[in-house]
Amino acid sequence: MSSTQLDMTGQVVIVTGSGRGLGREYALDFGRRGARVVVNDVAVDDDGTPRAAGVVAEIEAAGGTAAISRHDIMSSAGSTELVESAIERWGRLDALVNNAGFLRPGFLPDLTDEKIEQVIAIHLLAPFHATRAAWPHMQTQGYGRVVLTSSASSFGHAGNSQYAAAKGALVGMARSLAGEADFDFRINCVMPQAQSVIAVENPLPGKAMEETRELMNRLTPRRTPRSVAPLVVYLASRDCAVTGEAFSANSGRYARVAYGLTHGWIADAPNEVLAEDISQHIDEILDPSDIFIPQTMHDETVEVYDRLVEADLL
Ligand SMILES: NC(=O)c1ccc[n+]([C@@H]2O[C@H](COP(=O)([O-])OP(=O)(O)OC[C@H]3O[C@@H](n4cnc5c(N)ncnc54)[C@H](O)[C@@H]3O)[C@@H](O)[C@H]2O)c1
């Protein structure tokens, strides 16, 4: 698909943490498509220049429109002011890409309160605050797109447990908010993979990660912000046909991340089940050969109900 087909002229897009890395690549792509882009980044480079300034200049040099934001989205007030500043400037907000982040790696005994709380604040609370601030504007417009930045760390990432927990929580957030909208609203998660400063400055800790590190190094030429941007731009565009989903973009492989249930084991008399029975059936409970993917908690209830009726247990 060429960039002229997926035109975003007139739209307003916020990308948090877009002064470099993945966010920068997204912002440039939005700018090329005609969107007015708020390039948000709290950081200031060594020479005193706001990190976002260079990206704004790049978008403008390519003929696009962008505005700098230095709001610190660690606080609810900062996230809300970021959204309100876009509305004040351009009168609408079409897409919000929650991307800003940082790592504070450490094994559990080393995780101070600060390390836990800061990582949860930037990766989980900030997207909540910004999305809540964007919501009424999108509702009034009858249109909105939100992208949440999850991570493959949520599959399990020893040495980054608080990060993995926050990133995993975003999947539940997307799935739930998808069901709350009564307008043309789409919210999805992306799990990016890119050799970026955040990745280089925080090498995967621990011996167990040695093989992953080695494979990731070999994938580096394909594991780029450039390869992730098309998925994020699609999810933030009018063309986006999905909501409440999570997707992985890893080295040019784009895939749905499915949160599902095994077929499991059904007990005839649940009120008589003992821990010993769970122990006896644990392989059946774990067996991944038949996975069901509920879209909502209702779907799980229906699945269990139907199977119990079919088995004559209800
Ligand atoms: N790089 C990867 O492989 C990878 C993998 C999975 C998830 N992610 C996620 O993708 C996102 C972007 O990662 P990246 O690799 O581009 O990182 P990066 O460090 O290159 O960029 C993140 C930017 O966010 C900004 N930022 C941090 N705190 C902020 C705040 N309070 N307010 C505003 N801006 C703030 C930083 O200044 C930085 O410029 C992060 O959420 C990260 O967790 C990255």
Side-chain angles (χ1 to χ4, degrees):
M1 176 179 284
S2 83
S3 59
T4 48
Q5 282 175 289
L6 212 156
D7 184 41
M8 297 182 82
T9 303
Q11 296 201 8
V12 176
V13 181
I14 294 175
V15 186
T16 69
S18 49
R20 72 178 187 198
L22 287 158
R24 169 182 167 273
E25 198 71 37
Y26 309 156
L28 294 176
D29 200 332
F30 288 127
R32 282 194 293 271
R33 290 169 192 281
R36 292 166 284 178
V37 189
V38 178
V39 182
N40 162 258
D41 206 300
V42 74
V44 176
D45 287 334
D46 291 343
D47 64 357
T49 316
R51 185 173 288 168
V55 179
V56 170
E58 280 185 88
I59 293 172
E60 288 175 344
T65 306
I68 190 169
S69 147
R70 285 193 49 209
H71 295 97
D72 182 349
I73 59 160
M74 283 289 275
S75 71
S76 169
S79 292
T80 305
E81 281 164 26
L82 164 62
V83 168
E84 293 308 322
S85 73
I87 299 292
E88 270 165 40
R89 180 181 285 265
W90 286 316
R92 59 182 293 115
L93 176 60
D94 296 281
L96 166 68
V97 179
N98 294 283
N99 165 78
F102 52 76
L103 288 168
R104 297 283 181 270
F107 294 107
L108 188 60
D110 308 319
L111 293 186
T112 58
D113 287 357
E114 195 186 22
K115 277 189 170 187
I116 295 172
E117 286 160 17
Q118 286 194 343
V119 165
I120 289 175
I122 190 70
H123 292 290
L124 180 57
L125 302 186
F128 255 110
H129 294 142
T131 305
R132 188 184 56 188
W135 184 274
H137 301 291
M138 291 179 167
Q139 197 168 37
T140 303
Q141 291 164 187
Y143 177 86
R145 302 284 182 261
V146 172
V147 180
L148 304 172
T149 305
S150 182
S151 169
S153 293
S154 60
F155 295 138
H157 187 170
N160 270 301
S161 57
Q162 86 287 42
Y163 175 76
K167 291 302 201 185
L170 294 172
V171 176
M173 174 181 169
R175 298 181 79 88
S176 305
L177 292 183
E180 290 189 21
D182 55 357
F183 59 101
D184 181 3
F185 177 77
R186 310 264 192 273
I187 181 166
N188 292 284
C189 293
V190 63
M191 298 187 177
Q193 269 289 346
Q195 185 72 343
S196 61
V197 181
I198 203 175
V200 172
E201 285 181 352
N202 299 278
L204 301 174
K207 241 189 130 32
M209 285 294 185
E210 260 168 34
E211 197 186 337
T212 314
R213 269 197 298 269
E214 168 62 22
L215 294 179
M216 280 179 147
N217 287 341
R218 289 194 214 160
L219 289 168
T220 296
R222 295 179 62 95
R223 217 164 48 84
T224 57
R226 171 64 187 80
S227 71
V228 176
L231 176 61
V232 170
V233 169
Y234 165 74
L235 295 175
S237 76
R238 199 168 272 283
D239 280 28
C240 177
V242 288
T243 191
E245 293 293 341
F247 298 91
S248 159
N250 187 340
S251 311
R253 191 279 283 114
Y254 306 92
R256 177 188 186 188
V257 180
Y259 188 43
L261 291 153
T262 64
H263 199 65
W265 166 64
I266 291 184
D268 290 349
N271 298 319
E272 290 162 30
V273 171
L274 302 174
E276 288 79 356
D277 296 310
I278 302 294
S279 177
Q280 197 187 333
H281 290 278
I282 195 66
D283 288 343
E284 211 178 323
I285 292 169
L286 287 172
D287 181 4
S289 56
D290 188 4
I291 299 277
F292 164 64
I293 305 169
Q295 292 302 114
T296 63
M297 61 186 280
H298 176 69
D299 292 351
E300 185 196 7
T301 307
V302 170
E303 197 255 1
V304 171
Y305 182 86
D306 287 350
R307 282 176 60 197
L308 291 176
V309 169
E310 203 175 308
D312 229 0
L313 291 169
L314 268 187

